Amino acid sequence: QVRLTESGGGLVQAGDSLRLSCAASRRTVSNNGMGWFRQAPGKEREFVAGISWSGGDKLYADSVKGRFTIFRERAGTTVDLQMNSLKPEDSGVYYCAASRRAIASTTAVDYPSWGQGTQVTVSS
């Protein structure tokens, strides 16, 4: 089982930026897609962004398109999420996940490995 460790969360004001990073403990994830999900209090976990093993294919939730960018080196073991123009509704715990598939995916069931999460709070 691969271990995923997120970092970079924090408390910011609306309009600010944050960069989240996720490091995998094993190189086996280099052949797998990776993604970011988030969960706000009282809400279900939702997809934020996903990226293929090569970094060439990316998917975004409509709510973050144009503001968030997911990045990884080709076959890399680290995936970053650059978040710009943050809004209060972006607040929540952000989870990194490693997919069982090589392509990017929006579906949580495709991700068997999850990190512990990092808190992002955006004040208005």
Side-chain angles (χ1 to χ4, degrees), residues 13-109:
Q13 294 186 332
D16 286 349
S17 297
L18 272 178
R19 188 177 184 94
L20 305 182
S21 291
C22 172
S25 62
R26 299 174 67 175
R27 285 212 58 83
T28 50
V29 301
S30 63
N31 297 319
N32 299 87
M34 297 186 74
W36 286 94
F37 289 73
R38 68 187 181 190
Q39 187 168 20
K43 295 188 177 181
E44 293 186 355
R45 190 172 299 189
E46 64 175 358
F47 169 78
V48 175
I51 192 166
S52 63
W53 74 276
S54 67
D57 296 315
K58 304 175 183 181
L59 298 173
Y60 296 97
D62 288 343
S63 59
V64 306
K65 281 181 182 176
R67 300 188 298 121
F68 290 13
T69 302
I70 189 170
F71 174 81
R72 73 184 296 183
E73 297 286 347
R74 181 182 177 91
T77 58
T78 300
V79 61
D80 290 353
L81 184 68
Q82 177 66 41
M83 306 185 294
N84 298 329
S85 303
L86 283 162
K87 304 175 181 180
E89 52 264 42
D90 293 318
S91 297
V93 178
Y94 281 69
Y95 297 91
C96 174
S99 175
R100 62 170 55 89
R101 308 175 69 184
I103 62 174
S105 173
T106 64
T107 308
V109 295

